[in-house]
PDB file of all heavy atoms in Angstrom:
ATOM      1  N   ALA A 972      92.192 112.652  -3.588  1.00  0.00           N
ATOM      2  CA  ALA A 972      93.342 113.470  -3.620  1.00  0.00           C
ATOM      3  C   ALA A 972      93.614 113.953  -2.197  1.00  0.00           C
ATOM      4  O   ALA A 972      92.583 114.198  -1.420  1.00  0.00           O
ATOM      5  CB  ALA A 972      93.181 114.727  -4.489  1.00  0.00           C
ATOM      6  N   PRO A 973      94.840 114.037  -1.728  1.00  0.00           N
ATOM      7  CA  PRO A 973      95.154 114.513  -0.280  1.00  0.00           C
ATOM      8  C   PRO A 973      94.507 115.844   0.002  1.00  0.00           C
ATOM      9  O   PRO A 973      94.617 116.825  -0.672  1.00  0.00           O
ATOM     10  CB  PRO A 973      96.701 114.573  -0.272  1.00  0.00           C
ATOM     11  CG  PRO A 973      97.133 113.709  -1.440  1.00  0.00           C
ATOM     12  CD  PRO A 973      96.093 113.816  -2.461  1.00  0.00           C
ATOM     13  N   GLY A 974      93.740 115.777   1.129  1.00  0.00           N
ATOM     14  CA  GLY A 974      93.155 117.093   1.623  1.00  0.00           C
ATOM     15  C   GLY A 974      92.087 117.570   0.757  1.00  0.00           C
ATOM     16  O   GLY A 974      91.867 118.765   0.701  1.00  0.00           O
ATOM     17  N   ASP A 975      91.349 116.703   0.037  1.00  0.00           N
ATOM     18  CA  ASP A 975      90.333 117.187  -0.907  1.00  0.00           C
ATOM     19  C   ASP A 975      89.198 117.854  -0.118  1.00  0.00           C
ATOM     20  O   ASP A 975      89.006 117.741   1.027  1.00  0.00           O
ATOM     21  CB  ASP A 975      89.792 116.017  -1.730  1.00  0.00           C
ATOM     22  CG  ASP A 975      89.063 115.031  -0.881  1.00  0.00           C
ATOM     23  OD1 ASP A 975      89.654 114.429   0.038  1.00  0.00           O
ATOM     24  OD2 ASP A 975      87.812 114.833  -1.096  1.00  0.00           O
ATOM     25  N   ALA A 976      88.432 118.731  -0.888  1.00  0.00           N
ATOM     26  CA  ALA A 976      87.443 119.565  -0.209  1.00  0.00           C
ATOM     27  C   ALA A 976      86.346 118.684   0.415  1.00  0.00           C
ATOM     28  O   ALA A 976      85.746 119.027   1.484  1.00  0.00           O
ATOM     29  CB  ALA A 976      86.815 120.473  -1.278  1.00  0.00           C
ATOM     30  N   ALA A 977      85.985 117.541  -0.212  1.00  0.00           N
ATOM     31  CA  ALA A 977      84.887 116.697   0.321  1.00  0.00           C
ATOM     32  C   ALA A 977      85.333 116.162   1.697  1.00  0.00           C
ATOM     33  O   ALA A 977      84.526 116.184   2.634  1.00  0.00           O
ATOM     34  CB  ALA A 977      84.617 115.578  -0.674  1.00  0.00           C
ATOM     35  N   SER A 978      86.570 115.651   1.802  1.00  0.00           N
ATOM     36  CA  SER A 978      87.074 115.105   3.076  1.00  0.00           C
ATOM     37  C   SER A 978      87.130 116.215   4.118  1.00  0.00           C
ATOM     38  O   SER A 978      86.818 116.041   5.275  1.00  0.00           O
ATOM     39  CB  SER A 978      88.414 114.414   2.872  1.00  0.00           C
ATOM     40  OG  SER A 978      88.332 113.341   1.990  1.00  0.00           O
ATOM     41  N   GLU A 979      87.608 117.413   3.726  1.00  0.00           N
ATOM     42  CA  GLU A 979      87.704 118.527   4.641  1.00  0.00           C
ATOM     43  C   GLU A 979      86.397 118.885   5.217  1.00  0.00           C
ATOM     44  O   GLU A 979      86.184 119.100   6.432  1.00  0.00           O
ATOM     45  CB  GLU A 979      88.341 119.725   3.962  1.00  0.00           C
ATOM     46  CG  GLU A 979      88.528 120.874   4.902  1.00  0.00           C
ATOM     47  CD  GLU A 979      89.312 122.035   4.239  1.00  0.00           C
ATOM     48  OE1 GLU A 979      89.658 121.934   3.017  1.00  0.00           O
ATOM     49  OE2 GLU A 979      89.555 123.047   4.939  1.00  0.00           O
ATOM     50  N   LYS A 980      85.411 118.986   4.326  1.00  0.00           N
ATOM     51  CA  LYS A 980      84.004 119.374   4.807  1.00  0.00           C
ATOM     52  C   LYS A 980      83.435 118.324   5.739  1.00  0.00           C
ATOM     53  O   LYS A 980      82.790 118.632   6.764  1.00  0.00           O
ATOM     54  CB  LYS A 980      83.101 119.544   3.624  1.00  0.00           C
ATOM     55  CG  LYS A 980      81.692 119.896   3.903  1.00  0.00           C
ATOM     56  CD  LYS A 980      81.601 121.282   4.710  1.00  0.00           C
ATOM     57  CE  LYS A 980      80.172 121.636   4.981  1.00  0.00           C
ATOM     58  NZ  LYS A 980      80.127 122.798   5.885  1.00  0.00           N
ATOM     59  N   GLN A 981      83.711 117.050   5.427  1.00  0.00           N
ATOM     60  CA  GLN A 981      83.191 115.991   6.262  1.00  0.00           C
ATOM     61  C   GLN A 981      83.801 115.999   7.625  1.00  0.00           C
ATOM     62  O   GLN A 981      83.121 115.865   8.651  1.00  0.00           O
ATOM     63  CB  GLN A 981      83.439 114.617   5.529  1.00  0.00           C
ATOM     64  CG  GLN A 981      82.598 114.414   4.257  1.00  0.00           C
ATOM     65  CD  GLN A 981      83.174 113.373   3.387  1.00  0.00           C
ATOM     66  OE1 GLN A 981      84.133 112.623   3.783  1.00  0.00           O
ATOM     67  NE2 GLN A 981      82.689 113.209   2.211  1.00  0.00           N
ATOM     68  N   ILE A 982      85.081 116.215   7.662  1.00  0.00           N
ATOM     69  CA  ILE A 982      85.793 116.198   8.977  1.00  0.00           C
ATOM     70  C   ILE A 982      85.392 117.416   9.809  1.00  0.00           C
ATOM     71  O   ILE A 982      85.135 117.321  11.064  1.00  0.00           O
ATOM     72  CB  ILE A 982      87.332 116.234   8.778  1.00  0.00           C
ATOM     73  CG1 ILE A 982      87.781 114.913   8.187  1.00  0.00           C
ATOM     74  CG2 ILE A 982      88.020 116.513  10.096  1.00  0.00           C
ATOM     75  CD1 ILE A 982      87.517 113.704   8.976  1.00  0.00           C
ATOM     76  N   GLU A 983      85.107 118.568   9.163  1.00  0.00           N
ATOM     77  CA  GLU A 983      84.640 119.749   9.872  1.00  0.00           C
ATOM     78  C   GLU A 983      83.275 119.530  10.519  1.00  0.00           C
ATOM     79  O   GLU A 983      83.095 119.780  11.694  1.00  0.00           O
ATOM     80  CB  GLU A 983      84.521 120.898   8.867  1.00  0.00           C
ATOM     81  CG  GLU A 983      85.847 121.512   8.415  1.00  0.00           C
ATOM     82  CD  GLU A 983      86.482 122.490   9.368  1.00  0.00           C
ATOM     83  OE1 GLU A 983      85.856 122.668  10.480  1.00  0.00           O
ATOM     84  OE2 GLU A 983      87.491 122.998   9.096  1.00  0.00           O
ATOM     85  N   ASP A 984      82.415 118.939   9.718  1.00  0.00           N
ATOM     86  CA  ASP A 984      81.017 118.642  10.247  1.00  0.00           C
ATOM     87  C   ASP A 984      81.119 117.631  11.316  1.00  0.00           C
ATOM     88  O   ASP A 984      80.313 117.670  12.296  1.00  0.00           O
ATOM     89  CB  ASP A 984      80.090 118.210   9.090  1.00  0.00           C
ATOM     90  CG  ASP A 984      79.756 119.327   8.154  1.00  0.00           C
ATOM     91  OD1 ASP A 984      79.750 120.490   8.639  1.00  0.00           O
ATOM     92  OD2 ASP A 984      79.510 119.114   6.962  1.00  0.00           O
ATOM     93  N   THR A 985      81.945 116.605  11.133  1.00  0.00           N
ATOM     94  CA  THR A 985      82.072 115.512  12.144  1.00  0.00           C
ATOM     95  C   THR A 985      82.602 116.046  13.488  1.00  0.00           C
ATOM     96  O   THR A 985      82.132 115.709  14.533  1.00  0.00           O
ATOM     97  CB  THR A 985      83.034 114.476  11.612  1.00  0.00           C
ATOM     98  OG1 THR A 985      82.545 113.939  10.360  1.00  0.00           O
ATOM     99  CG2 THR A 985      83.189 113.343  12.577  1.00  0.00           C
ATOM    100  N   LEU A 986      83.555 116.939  13.424  1.00  0.00           N
ATOM    101  CA  LEU A 986      84.071 117.554  14.693  1.00  0.00           C
ATOM    102  C   LEU A 986      82.942 118.206  15.421  1.00  0.00           C
ATOM    103  O   LEU A 986      82.813 118.090  16.652  1.00  0.00           O
ATOM    104  CB  LEU A 986      85.200 118.545  14.379  1.00  0.00           C
ATOM    105  CG  LEU A 986      86.554 117.982  14.308  1.00  0.00           C
ATOM    106  CD1 LEU A 986      87.611 119.048  13.756  1.00  0.00           C
ATOM    107  CD2 LEU A 986      87.039 117.486  15.571  1.00  0.00           C
ATOM    108  N   ILE A 987      82.120 119.015  14.784  1.00  0.00           N
ATOM    109  CA  ILE A 987      80.983 119.691  15.425  1.00  0.00           C
ATOM    110  C   ILE A 987      80.088 118.681  16.003  1.00  0.00           C
ATOM    111  O   ILE A 987      79.607 118.828  17.197  1.00  0.00           O
ATOM    112  CB  ILE A 987      80.283 120.618  14.366  1.00  0.00           C
ATOM    113  CG1 ILE A 987      81.228 121.717  13.907  1.00  0.00           C
ATOM    114  CG2 ILE A 987      79.003 121.265  15.034  1.00  0.00           C
ATOM    115  CD1 ILE A 987      80.681 122.515  12.752  1.00  0.00           C
ATOM    116  N   SER A 988      79.819 117.625  15.269  1.00  0.00           N
ATOM    117  CA  SER A 988      78.765 116.641  15.702  1.00  0.00           C
ATOM    118  C   SER A 988      79.300 115.840  16.898  1.00  0.00           C
ATOM    119  O   SER A 988      78.591 115.610  17.866  1.00  0.00           O
ATOM    120  CB  SER A 988      78.466 115.676  14.560  1.00  0.00           C
ATOM    121  OG  SER A 988      77.950 116.363  13.487  1.00  0.00           O
ATOM    122  N   VAL A 989      80.612 115.397  16.885  1.00  0.00           N
ATOM    123  CA  VAL A 989      81.173 114.673  17.879  1.00  0.00           C
ATOM    124  C   VAL A 989      81.227 115.453  19.139  1.00  0.00           C
ATOM    125  O   VAL A 989      80.976 115.038  20.300  1.00  0.00           O
ATOM    126  CB  VAL A 989      82.533 114.126  17.521  1.00  0.00           C
ATOM    127  CG1 VAL A 989      83.259 113.378  18.698  1.00  0.00           C
ATOM    128  CG2 VAL A 989      82.389 113.155  16.366  1.00  0.00           C
ATOM    129  N   LYS A 990      81.620 116.805  19.035  1.00  0.00           N
ATOM    130  CA  LYS A 990      81.674 117.636  20.241  1.00  0.00           C
ATOM    131  C   LYS A 990      80.333 117.767  20.844  1.00  0.00           C
ATOM    132  O   LYS A 990      80.223 117.609  22.080  1.00  0.00           O
ATOM    133  CB  LYS A 990      82.154 118.987  19.800  1.00  0.00           C
ATOM    134  CG  LYS A 990      83.674 119.161  19.572  1.00  0.00           C
ATOM    135  CD  LYS A 990      84.014 120.573  19.164  1.00  0.00           C
ATOM    136  CE  LYS A 990      85.466 120.794  18.896  1.00  0.00           C
ATOM    137  NZ  LYS A 990      85.775 122.138  18.481  1.00  0.00           N
ATOM    138  N   SER A 991      79.282 117.930  20.138  1.00  0.00           N
ATOM    139  CA  SER A 991      77.956 118.055  20.682  1.00  0.00           C
ATOM    140  C   SER A 991      77.547 116.747  21.447  1.00  0.00           C
ATOM    141  O   SER A 991      76.982 116.818  22.537  1.00  0.00           O
ATOM    142  CB  SER A 991      76.930 118.327  19.544  1.00  0.00           C
ATOM    143  OG  SER A 991      75.663 118.365  20.104  1.00  0.00           O
ATOM    144  N   ALA A 992      77.813 115.625  20.851  1.00  0.00           N
ATOM    145  CA  ALA A 992      77.510 114.340  21.420  1.00  0.00           C
ATOM    146  C   ALA A 992      78.311 114.118  22.689  1.00  0.00           C
ATOM    147  O   ALA A 992      77.813 113.579  23.687  1.00  0.00           O
ATOM    148  CB  ALA A 992      77.638 113.215  20.458  1.00  0.00           C
ATOM    149  N   TYR A 993      79.572 114.446  22.579  1.00  0.00           N
ATOM    150  CA  TYR A 993      80.540 114.108  23.666  1.00  0.00           C
ATOM    151  C   TYR A 993      80.281 114.977  24.862  1.00  0.00           C
ATOM    152  O   TYR A 993      80.444 114.571  26.041  1.00  0.00           O
ATOM    153  CB  TYR A 993      81.958 114.310  23.184  1.00  0.00           C
ATOM    154  CG  TYR A 993      82.997 113.496  23.850  1.00  0.00           C
ATOM    155  CD1 TYR A 993      83.208 112.170  23.451  1.00  0.00           C
ATOM    156  CD2 TYR A 993      83.657 113.949  24.932  1.00  0.00           C
ATOM    157  CE1 TYR A 993      84.161 111.372  24.154  1.00  0.00           C
ATOM    158  CE2 TYR A 993      84.614 113.231  25.622  1.00  0.00           C
ATOM    159  CZ  TYR A 993      84.860 111.891  25.195  1.00  0.00           C
ATOM    160  OH  TYR A 993      85.841 111.135  25.895  1.00  0.00           O
TER     161      TYR A 993
END
Side-chain angles (χ1 to χ4, degrees):
D975 66 299
S978 298
E979 183 176 359
K980 180 61 179 174
Q981 291 161 9
I982 295 300
E983 289 279 3
D984 289 331
T985 301
L986 273 172
I987 297 172
S988 301
V989 175
K990 281 181 181 178
S991 176
Y993 206 86

